Amino acid sequence: MSDSNKRALSEEELQELVAASDSGARSPVGAVGTFIAAVALIWSVFQVLLASPVAPYILPGDLINNSRQIHLAFAIFLAAMAYPLFKSSPRDRIPYYDWALGIGGAFLALYGYFFYEKIVGNGGLADATDAYFALAGLILLFISAYRVLGPVMVILAVVFLFYVFFGSSEAVPDQIRWAGASLRKAMSHMWITSEGVFGIALGVSTKFVFLFVLFGALLDKAGAGNYFIKMAFGALGHLRGGPAKAAVVGSAATGLISGSSIANVVTTGTFTIPLMKRVGFSAEKAGSVEVASSVNGQIMPPVMGAAAFLMVEYVGISYVEVITHAFLPAVISYIALVYIVHLEAVKNNMPTLGNRVVSMGRTIGGMFAFFAGFALLCYATQFPVSWIVALVPNGSGWILGALLFAIYVGLVYLAAQSPDLEPDDPNAEEVELPVVAEIYKTGLYYLLPIIVLVYFLMIERKSPGLSAFWATFLLFGILLTQKMLKAMFRGEVNAVNRLRDGGVDLIEGMIDGARNMIGIGLATATAGIIVGTVSLTGIGQVMADFVEFLSGGNLILMLIFVAILSLILGMGLPTTANYIVVSSLMVAVVVELGAQSGLIVPLIAVHLFVFYFGIMADVTPPVGLASFAAAAVSGGDAIRTGFTAFFYSLRTVALPFVFIFNTDLLLIDVTWVQGIIVFIVATVGILVFTAATMGWFLTRNRIWETVAMLLIAFALFRPGFFMNQIQPPFENIAPAAFSEALGNAKPGSELRVVISGPDFDTLEIKDVTVPLTVPDAEGSQARLDALGFILVPEGEVMRLDEPMFGRDLGDALSSFDFYADDPVQIASVQATADQMPKELIFIPALLLLALIAFLQRRRAQPILQGEPA
């Protein structure tokens, strides 16, 4: 590649790159620009009002009921205004055809709102007129998605739509042929009802995601992004490989602010990448560190990517549970990345920045104390709040609001004692890294909205939308008043005039938030067509059978196929759309195949698996948009940056496979003590895995040491695998003795029953493993009734009748045909056996690790003393 192609882009060019990807490359000036900004501002105001507790009192009911249509109308209109349709389209003005497409698309998105009475009168079905308007709406949606998301999303949706119309053709293979749908039926499903475009995904974008994106935009506008980066560099910049370590921590913090990996790369990378290159990282490695850490911002609680909110609806659990399950893998993933850059620095004997001597141990201890203290503060907030509510139940809201305002004013006063933080020049001759003790107080008040968000989510257990509303509402006050209050505390003349500057910041932040939502709104709407096709045609089951055939019923092969599918689709789809498509098609398949293999895979584990590989697509060549953004900052080769970033992200690739087989990592059914043990062991495991893949622990690894460390990591992550080889986890019970075993089992214990019978669709015999928690009822018959079993003994065979209606067992066995010639029967029963604690496997694994450490330390000693090893 020529030098000209490797030139790092200027700040202005980088901002254009982010805008083209996230908020639109077109910015008209004059009255038109003001009008577009006003539309974006109105969208933000509408969404804030929609999420507020007073929404039922100030918004008409039909606006609330049709909020998805309004959400999409704004997204389509702003897409036409902000994103050029062709490469040759003007950037400084809006051509007539974009006005027509924007206004037409917004009208068609609102079709169900305008003609609500007529559609209800038709029983929710489209007549001929509705069908043609719906088809036109789909076409304009595709045009909007093309201009914002690129061609892949549109091509995928069109292929699925073609299957809806032409899936009954003779040209379609018998295995995937279906009955077909008329234009009226298809358009009713896709546009008029809430099964297609206006389905769950767009609903989540409307209810939850917008508020969190707006929260991030406002927090960034307030100056939190620069504060987090400065704090990270102050804490870690002086260590060996410090800029890279600071990039990792800074990107984890800015993940709170930006759900976009590209914006994260450019925001932190413009400062971190030049400094990484300065201490010895190549352009590609510097870019790769930034990519790996920025992309993982989407998996970092409490504010994760948009897909996390979709999990709430798809899995049927609260957002608190989603972030609880996602917490441990995200944290150890970042710990591993810090360790990766540390090993890179040690291997290449990189210099440190600045002249301060700092202790690695004290730095890590200090950071741990900060995060632990912050978590403790979020948790402890509930106690004074509950006291105030108990003392003044009626006026507690006003008292708490006044108290929060007083704390905010106090923290702003503290911040005003120091100069405002200005972005540093990473290319300056001498880099003066900030001192944490001097700068920490300048942005402590930025933590207040995060504390409010975590409090409402985790303590009050409010909905994500309402929690984000209160945090955003606090940010409104911060943006409006922070500059005025600082000016007052500094004794500046005309400090009140700074209130106007705060108002401008607030409006700009709300406009930025709306423009950042355009792509997510269109992605969730377009992906709804694929979800609608699956629900209308049943193609999901056909694809499940096909993938099961390819994998030969092997769960690991199936997971590899799902991972590859996510990576391939992610080359052209944004993370959210990729997650919707793959989860709609593959999640149920993995869960079912796991059950057939005897492995009970929780639904949330498979959804997180898909989510992890969806975000990896931002890294993976040949597309990897985040890698291209990092290369633009570093001046390195984009493809090499992508491959290096993928290598650095191996722990993100490995973790999903681990937590499918060891759900302890997702903190499923573990106590506090077990959770702490899992965290410690998983951290050691990921560090050992990292040392193995990097080929360096205390010194360069020998081949047998690398293999041994991979084995140690596997043992630490999945100790049950080895313990099961020593002692079987279950004992077999004859099917005929199932009823007796159920009656004798302790309430709350687990039995595993393998059910065999004909598949409802294919009539082929299959096995499904069903886990049963023994109910607290007296006698075997009472327990059978509680579970929903209807047993029909025939000698040694235990046949089953169709389970009782309304029981969980009915859902688990819904894929069997109970009226076929072949019976549905109990093939085997397994009861939990007495087994030694699987944690005993940690002992030999850690002893082997200690041996490797001892041998490597002996080899490393002569090198440290300058002698030949």
Side-chain angles (χ1 to χ4, degrees):
M1 184 179 287
S2 64
D3 290 338
S4 62
N5 287 337
K6 290 186 178 181
R7 178 183 67 85
L9 300 187
S10 67
E11 178 65 25
E12 185 178 344
E13 290 171 320
L14 288 171
Q15 293 308 319
E16 286 180 7
L17 174 69
V18 175
S21 170
D22 290 341
S23 59
R26 184 189 282 149
S27 293
V29 294
V32 173
T34 304
F35 172 71
I36 295 169
V39 173
L41 179 61
I42 292 168
W43 191 14
S44 285
V45 171
F46 168 73
Q47 295 287 166
V48 170
L49 289 176
L50 186 67
S52 72
V54 297
Y57 307 105
I58 60 176
L59 291 179
D62 55 348
L63 281 183
I64 296 174
N65 294 335
N66 291 282
S67 56
R68 297 180 189 184
Q69 284 87 339
I70 296 169
H71 185 81
L72 182 59
F74 274 114
I76 290 178
F77 179 77
L78 288 174
M81 300 298 102
Y83 289 83
L85 184 56
F86 308 109
K87 287 185 178 179
S88 58
S89 295
R91 300 301 195 259
D92 57 347
R93 61 183 177 83
I94 300 170
Y96 69 91
Y97 56 81
D98 278 344
W99 283 107
L101 291 171
I103 295 171
F107 169 77
L108 292 169
L110 293 169
Y111 186 83
Y113 171 64
F114 291 138
F115 299 98
Y116 180 76
E117 296 296 334
K118 173 193 170 187
I119 291 168
V120 170
N122 290 338
L125 298 175
D127 59 22
T129 304
D130 298 333
Y132 286 115
F133 272 105
L135 184 60
L138 283 179
I139 292 169
L140 293 190
L141 173 62
F142 288 155
I143 293 171
S144 298
Y146 168 76
R147 67 167 87 221
V148 177
L149 307 171
V152 175
M153 183 85 220
V154 177
I155 292 170
L156 199 61
V158 168
V159 167
F160 274 82
L161 203 56
F162 264 75
Y163 177 70
V164 169
F165 289 120
F166 305 110
S168 59
S169 167
E170 295 290 331
V172 176
D174 291 342
Q175 292 84 350
I176 62 171
R177 191 180 304 160
W178 82 294
S182 65
L183 180 66
R184 286 180 58 188
K185 182 179 179 181
M187 291 303 101
S188 291
H189 197 80
M190 295 297 177
W191 196 262
I192 303 300
T193 70
S194 58
E195 294 291 330
V197 169
F198 299 101
I200 289 174
L202 188 63
V204 169
S205 178
T206 306
K207 285 195 298 182
F208 303 147
V209 179
F210 193 105
L211 262 291
F212 279 85
V213 170
L214 180 61
F215 173 79
L218 294 175
L219 198 57
D220 187 38
K221 197 69 182 176
N226 185 44
Y227 174 71
F228 291 150
I229 293 170
K230 290 262 191 182
M231 287 289 288
F233 266 88
L236 300 168
H238 299 277
L239 300 174
R240 183 175 287 188
K245 293 168 183 169
V248 175
V249 176
S251 292
T254 51
L256 286 171
I257 295 172
S258 171
S260 163
S261 52
I262 297 168
N264 204 342
V265 164
V266 172
T267 301
T268 55
T270 48
F271 183 65
T272 60
I273 288 175
L275 288 179
M276 281 190 264
K277 291 167 67 177
R278 199 159 175 162
V279 297
F281 283 87
S282 67
E284 286 75 21
K285 285 187 176 181
S288 301
V289 170
E290 186 57 56
V291 169
S293 50
S294 294
V295 166
N296 271 25
Q298 293 186 64
I299 64 173
M300 193 69 186
V303 182
M304 298 168 65
F309 301 102
L310 288 161
M311 284 182 212
V312 173
E313 300 293 330
Y314 289 163
V315 183
I317 60 178
S318 69
Y319 185 65
V320 173
E321 291 174 284
V322 170
I323 60 179
T324 300
H325 297 319
F327 175 75
L328 187 53
V331 169
I332 65 175
S333 181
Y334 267 109
I335 290 173
L337 188 53
V338 171
Y339 190 48
I340 285 172
V341 297
H342 174 71
L343 291 178
E344 282 283 8
V346 171
K347 282 165 62 176
N348 297 290
N349 199 24
M350 292 181 183
T352 57
L353 277 178
N355 52 12
R356 278 170 51 208
V357 178
V358 292
S359 162
M360 178 81 164
R362 286 184 62 188
T363 300
I364 293 174
M367 289 187 64
F368 176 79
F370 171 78
F371 286 113
F374 181 70
L376 187 62
L377 178 63
C378 292
Y379 177 76
T381 305
Q382 61 184 308
F383 299 112
V385 170
S386 62
W387 295 335
I388 292 171
V389 171
L391 287 172
V392 193
N394 293 327
S396 58
W398 294 104
I399 294 173
L400 289 170
L403 187 60
L404 182 62
F405 180 74
I407 294 171
Y408 161 64
V409 171
L411 291 177
V412 173
Y413 174 79
L414 193 65
Q417 308 311 304
S418 303
D420 291 337
L421 298 180
E422 297 293 335
D424 292 321
D425 179 9
N427 298 308
E429 284 190 23
E430 288 191 19
V431 178
E432 286 290 331
L433 293 179
V435 180
V436 171
E438 295 174 2
I439 66 165
Y440 78 94
K441 58 187 177 182
T442 60
L444 283 177
Y445 63 93
Y446 294 136
L447 301 179
L448 288 178
I450 301 172
I451 292 172
V452 168
L453 178 67
V454 173
Y455 171 78
F456 277 103
L457 275 176
M458 306 293 287
I459 309 298
E460 290 284 341
R461 298 296 180 101
K462 300 295 186 186
S463 72
L466 187 60
S467 303
F469 166 78
W470 286 117
T472 303
F473 190 71
L474 176 57
L475 270 172
F476 286 174
I478 290 174
L479 275 162
L480 271 175
T481 61
Q482 63 171 346
K483 289 183 177 179
M484 179 188 72
L485 289 174
K486 284 182 182 178
M488 288 172 58
F489 292 138
R490 289 168 180 162
E492 295 179 13
V493 182
N494 297 326
V496 177
N497 292 340
R498 301 303 300 274
L499 188 65
R500 178 180 170 277
D501 297 338
V504 172
D505 287 344
L506 174 58
I507 291 171
E508 288 179 352
M510 293 182 76
I511 292 169
D512 290 344
R515 290 186 65 140
N516 290 343
M517 267 302 298
I518 297 171
I520 296 174
L522 292 173
T524 51
T526 311
I529 295 169
I530 296 162
V531 177
T533 302
V534 172
S535 63
L536 178 63
T537 66
I539 184 65
Q541 185 57 47
V542 175
M543 294 191 70
D545 294 338
F546 178 67
V547 175
E548 186 178 342
F549 168 75
L550 284 180
S551 64
N554 185 293
L555 183 61
I556 293 179
L557 268 181
M558 165 76 81
L559 292 171
I560 291 172
F561 285 142
V562 172
I564 292 171
L565 177 64
S566 294
L567 291 174
I568 292 172
L569 288 179
M571 291 178 183
L573 299 183
T575 302
T576 306
N578 189 3
Y579 165 76
I580 295 170
V581 173
V582 179
S583 63
S584 300
L585 297 174
M586 291 292 132
V587 164
V589 188
V590 174
V591 172
E592 184 179 340
L593 187 58
Q596 292 179 24
S597 306
L599 179 69
I600 309 304
V601 185
L603 200 55
I604 183 63
V606 191
H607 277 274
L608 283 171
F609 181 94
V610 172
F611 182 37
Y612 267 60
F613 279 96
I615 66 168
M616 283 304 299
D618 271 352
V619 177
T620 315
V623 179
L625 295 178
S627 298
F628 277 84
V633 177
S634 70
D637 181 86
I639 300 297
R640 277 209 298 271
T641 299
F643 278 114
T644 308
F646 185 79
F647 175 71
Y648 285 165
S649 301
L650 280 178
R651 82 253 180 257
T652 309
V653 174
L655 278 173
F657 285 96
V658 172
F659 62 58
I660 286 285
F661 294 96
N662 180 9
T663 56
D664 287 355
L665 274 177
L666 302 180
L667 302 180
I668 294 176
D669 296 330
V670 297
T671 64
W672 274 98
V673 175
Q674 290 172 322
I676 293 170
I677 294 172
V678 168
F679 173 71
I680 295 171
V681 172
T683 302
V684 174
I686 201 70
L687 295 179
V688 172
F689 175 80
T690 300
T693 54
M694 293 293 291
W696 190 284
F697 184 31
L698 301 179
T699 187
R700 192 173 303 280
N701 294 346
R702 289 176 174 158
I703 292 177
W704 76 266
E705 291 172 336
T706 294
V707 173
M709 282 194 283
L710 288 173
L711 187 66
I712 292 166
F714 182 74
L716 295 177
F717 278 127
R718 242 203 114 192
F721 174 83
F722 294 98
M723 186 56 72
N724 291 347
Q725 311 307 310
I726 299 169
Q727 284 185 313
F730 298 99
E731 56 183 4
N732 292 319
I733 298 169
F738 168 60
S739 179
E740 181 184 353
L742 182 64
N744 294 333
K746 292 180 182 178
S749 62
E750 184 181 279
L751 294 176
R752 289 192 172 197
V753 182
V754 179
I755 311 294
S756 179
D759 183 85
F760 188 83
D761 294 313
T762 65
L763 295 181
E764 293 182 3
I765 302 298
K766 68 174 185 179
D767 293 340
V768 172
T769 301
V770 180
L772 302 175
T773 301
V774 178
D776 188 6
E778 288 297 327
S780 57
Q781 189 57 50
R783 291 180 175 184
L784 287 170
D785 291 343
L787 292 169
F789 275 101
I790 301 177
L791 304 180
V792 184
E794 292 184 359
E796 293 299 312
V797 175
M798 184 62 73
R799 289 186 56 167
L800 292 180
D801 267 353
E802 192 165 8
M804 295 180 187
F805 180 75
R807 300 290 200 277
D808 291 342
L809 186 65
D811 295 333
L813 303 184
S814 60
S815 60
F816 285 108
D817 188 341
F818 286 86
Y819 304 99
D821 294 336
D822 294 308
V824 178
Q825 60 183 344
I826 295 178
S828 66
V829 181
Q830 295 178 324
T832 305
D834 289 331
Q835 189 184 53
M836 291 186 294
K838 61 184 179 182
E839 289 77 12
L840 290 174
I841 299 297
F842 296 156
I843 297 173
L846 293 174
L847 287 174
L848 179 57
L849 181 62
L851 174 63
I852 294 172
F854 172 74
L855 295 174
Q856 289 208 0
R857 184 174 291 278
R858 289 185 62 185
R859 292 208 307 277
Q861 204 65 36
I863 297 174
L864 294 173
Q865 295 172 355
E867 303 170 10

